[in-house]
């Protein structure tokens, strides 16, 4: 019985893994290439063979030390092999504890991932096509020609059928993070340079915020009139407005910025006027807070490499052909690179969390199946070994309920001990997931309570079948079998 349960558990575990991987697209887990190497295959075969030999040796040694004469004596079946019984019970407790630890970890990751997917990005990713444009070396060497090219290219792209709006930025959120510059309030300058705050710096052309769906909270957008011969302007995000100018209207105020100049390859301190405040955007990662953000007019701080953001009426990738043709007409020497959708970029940015989540959940499911089958196997073997005792109890007037309680009591002891051990280990081990979590504690009480109750219910169900079998024992048949 116990051997059959073990074989069934192994088959179920393999089947469960195959079923999950059959219905879970590998692309959704961030896995792009799958192959089996000779070392990987050899390691798997060696580990499988070693496990079979290791755990097969214990019953073999136990059988080799058995005394046939003693085993043939009546009544020894209920008292012999106490050490083996304790070993089986200990292994089941260990299985339960391991299952609980894995369930706790996967439950915490699932709740963390759910919160991560619910994070407000600050911009609308739906039907948003993005691509990079790198101006060739030797062409568009002066600022005016670069401004003219991108402004004209935007007009051409906006005229494509199916394009609702288009914009240009030097570094897209999530896909192109960082680029932090020092900022400060000129009216309250920091005493030391190290005390300056840092902000994400971006250069945009007019229309970027409307295309991305970033709300304009105060003031105005960058405009085409913000040129190299006009006072330098700046649009900041809400977090920067609160941080530098608490309880004050930032519109019209000045901000100090350590600006990086591509032409001279150095930073230069400048004072710019704030003309607008926009909503916060997740700039680096989905999990990281927005931080300070500032947007410069392209005509006042240009770059040779920019990214297109195109809002379409239909499926974004269906616009690629017309987009390539349109830009080729303007300049056939400029390639369109890194075409993608913003939805895919955001999805890939959390693929690591998704992969860890699915992997740990898979292991937890396999561990639970093995623990439940192992618990059933031990209790079924326990009932089989005590058939004569149960028959005598029934013959002496024991009710079916008392027989069921006898078996359930033993099973519940294993469940409770394993569950308590698993919760204790999980309380310490789940802390290693701290860096993978978002908005949730590694010892989240909701997860611990739900997993504990769920596993307790599953454990009780695993005990019910052997208990029902014990209740149906015919005392006459049981005594004749002895």
């Amino acid at each position: 019985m116990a051997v059959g349960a073990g074989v069934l558990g192994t088959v179920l575990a393999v089947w469960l893994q195959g079923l999950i991987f059959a219905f879970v697209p590998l692309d959704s887990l961030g896995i792009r290439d799958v192959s089996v190497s000779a070392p990987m295959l050899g390691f798997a075969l060696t580990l499988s063979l070693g496990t079979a030999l290791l755990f097969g040796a214990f019953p073999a040694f136990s059988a080799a030390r058995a005394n046939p004469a003693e085993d043939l004596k009546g009544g020894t079946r209920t008292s012999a092999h106490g050490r083996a019984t304790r070993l089986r019970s200990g292994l089941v407790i260990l299985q339960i504890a391991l299952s609980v630890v894995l369930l706790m970890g996967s439950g915490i990751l699932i709740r963390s991932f759910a919160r991560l997917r619910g994070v407000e990005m600050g911009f609308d990713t739906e039907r948003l096509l993005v691509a990079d444009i790198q101006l060739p070396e030797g062409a568009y060497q002066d600022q005016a020609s670069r401004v003219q090219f991108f402004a004209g290219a935007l007009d051409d792209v906006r005229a494509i059928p199916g394009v609702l709006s288009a914009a240009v930025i030097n570094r897209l959120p999530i896909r192109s993070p960082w680029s932090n510059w020092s900022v400060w309030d000129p009216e309250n300058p920091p005493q030391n340079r190290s005390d300056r705050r840092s902000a994400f710096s971006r250069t945009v052309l007019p229309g970027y915020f409307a295309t991305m769906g970033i709300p304009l909270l105060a003031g105005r957008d960058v405009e085409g009139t913000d040129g190299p011969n006009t006072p330098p302007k700046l649009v900041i995000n809400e977090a920067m407005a609160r941080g530098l100018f608490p309880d004050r209207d930032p519109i019209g105020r000045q901000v100090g910025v350590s600006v990086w100049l591509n032409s001279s390859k150095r930073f230069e301190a400048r004072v710019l006027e704030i003309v607008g405040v926009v909503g916060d955007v997740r700039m680096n990662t989905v999990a990281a807070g927005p931080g300070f953000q500032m947007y410069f007019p392209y005509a006042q701080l240009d770059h040779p490499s920019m990214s297109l953001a195109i809002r379409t009426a239909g499926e974004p990738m269906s616009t690629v052909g017309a987009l390539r043709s349109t830009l080729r007409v303007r300049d056939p020497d400029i390639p369109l690179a890194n075409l993608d959708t913003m939805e895919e970029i955001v999805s890939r940015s959390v693929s690591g969390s998704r992969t860890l989540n699915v992997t740990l959940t898979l292991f937890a499911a396999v561990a639970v199946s093995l623990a439940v089958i192992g618990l059933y196997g031990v209790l079924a073997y326990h009932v089989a070994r005590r058939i004569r005792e149960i028959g005598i109890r029934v013959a002496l007037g024991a009710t079916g309920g008392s027989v069921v309680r006898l078996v359930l009591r033993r099973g519940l002891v294993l469940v409770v001990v394993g569950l308590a051990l698993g919760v204790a280990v999980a309380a310490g081990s789940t802390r290693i997931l701290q860096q993978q979590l978002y908005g949730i504690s590694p010892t989240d009480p909701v997860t611990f309570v739900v997993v504990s109750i769920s596993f307790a219910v599953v454990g009780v169900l695993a005990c019910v079948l052997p208990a029902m079998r014990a209740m149906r024992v015919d005392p006459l048949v049981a005594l004749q079998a002895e």
Side-chain angles (χ1 to χ4, degrees), residues 104-123:
M104 294 293 186
S106 62
I108 289 172
L109 284 175
I110 289 172
R111 282 174 52 79
S112 172
F113 187 70
R115 295 193 178 188
L116 191 63
R117 291 302 299 265
V119 168
E120 178 59 47
M121 297 298 298
F123 59 90

Side-chain angles (χ1 to χ4, degrees), residues 120-172:
E120 178 59 47
M121 297 298 298
F123 59 90
D124 185 8
T125 62
E126 187 178 0
R127 300 192 308 276
L128 191 61
L129 177 69
V130 297
D132 294 337
I133 297 178
Q134 174 69 50
L135 297 181
E137 294 184 7
Y140 307 98
Q141 294 186 357
D142 59 282
Q143 185 183 40
S145 62
R146 290 191 290 268
V147 172
Q148 183 179 7
F149 170 81
F150 281 111
L154 274 181
D155 290 337
D156 295 342
V157 172
R158 288 164 181 162
I160 297 175
V163 172
L164 300 179
S165 62
V168 170
I169 186 173
N170 68 320
R171 300 176 71 88
L172 286 164

Side-chain angles (χ1 to χ4, degrees), residues 31-45:
I31 302 175
R32 306 298 172 190
D33 185 25
V34 180
S35 61
V36 179
S37 63
M40 182 189 303
L41 184 60
F43 175 77
L45 292 176

Side-chain angles (χ1 to χ4, degrees), residues 40-127:
M40 182 189 303
L41 184 60
F43 175 77
L45 292 176
T46 302
L47 185 62
S48 301
L49 181 60
T51 302
L53 291 176
L54 177 64
F55 287 94
F58 287 103
F61 288 143
S62 178
R65 293 197 303 267
N67 189 333
E70 291 295 327
D71 289 344
L72 290 175
K73 293 180 180 180
T76 58
R77 294 178 61 182
T78 61
S79 57
H81 305 298
R83 182 182 303 173
T85 300
R86 288 192 294 273
L87 177 61
R88 282 189 291 270
S89 299
L91 289 176
V92 170
I93 290 174
L94 186 61
Q95 279 184 322
I96 293 174
L98 176 61
S99 302
V100 170
V101 172
L102 291 175
L103 277 177
M104 294 293 186
S106 62
I108 289 172
L109 284 175
I110 289 172
R111 282 174 52 79
S112 172
F113 187 70
R115 295 193 178 188
L116 191 63
R117 291 302 299 265
V119 168
E120 178 59 47
M121 297 298 298
F123 59 90
D124 185 8
T125 62
E126 187 178 0
R127 300 192 308 276

Side-chain angles (χ1 to χ4, degrees), residues 147-376:
V147 172
Q148 183 179 7
F149 170 81
F150 281 111
L154 274 181
D155 290 337
D156 295 342
V157 172
R158 288 164 181 162
I160 297 175
V163 172
L164 300 179
S165 62
V168 170
I169 186 173
N170 68 320
R171 300 176 71 88
L172 286 164
I174 304 300
R175 190 168 81 172
S176 302
W178 304 116
S179 187
N180 301 74
W181 295 351
S182 297
V183 295
W184 62 92
D185 179 3
E187 296 180 5
N188 298 286
Q191 299 300 317
N192 301 308
R193 292 177 60 89
S194 59
D195 295 333
R196 294 179 180 178
R197 310 287 294 273
S198 65
F200 294 105
S201 62
R202 297 293 185 266
T203 299
V204 300
L205 267 74
Y208 171 76
F209 303 115
T211 298
M212 294 292 289
I214 302 172
L216 181 64
L217 304 179
R220 65 171 176 86
D221 192 353
V222 297
E223 297 177 349
T225 56
D226 297 324
N229 298 322
T230 61
K233 308 296 183 183
L234 187 66
V235 174
I236 65 175
N237 70 327
E238 187 178 13
M240 185 169 171
R242 288 195 308 266
L244 291 184
F245 309 103
D247 304 322
R248 290 181 291 170
D249 183 7
I251 303 301
R253 292 190 177 277
Q254 293 183 325
V255 59
V257 180
S258 183
V259 178
W260 173 258
L261 302 178
N262 285 317
S263 57
S264 56
K265 304 298 181 184
R266 63 182 179 84
F267 281 102
E268 178 181 281
R270 292 184 179 179
V271 176
L272 301 92
E273 180 188 352
I274 299 172
V275 296
V277 178
V278 296
D280 297 333
V281 171
R282 299 281 169 164
M283 198 72 78
N284 257 358
T285 65
V286 177
F292 287 8
Q293 300 161 11
M294 52 188 177
Y295 302 87
F296 300 86
Y298 182 77
Q300 294 184 344
L301 192 67
D302 66 305
H303 290 265
S305 176
M306 300 292 285
S307 296
L308 274 172
I310 304 171
R311 181 77 60 187
T312 62
E315 205 282 318
M317 299 304 291
S318 64
T319 316
V320 171
L323 177 62
R324 289 187 187 276
S325 300
T326 299
L327 292 178
R328 194 178 299 118
V329 170
R330 178 160 289 274
D331 190 334
D333 295 328
I334 296 180
L336 197 62
N338 301 323
L339 280 157
D340 211 340
T341 65
M342 208 66 205
E343 287 182 329
E344 282 296 316
I345 292 173
V346 173
S347 178
R348 285 197 299 270
S349 71
V350 297
S351 62
S353 299
R354 185 188 298 112
T355 302
L356 180 61
N357 192 352
V358 173
T359 302
L360 193 56
T361 302
L362 170 63
F363 284 132
V366 173
V368 169
S369 66
L370 292 177
V372 169
I373 292 174
L375 180 63
Y376 167 79

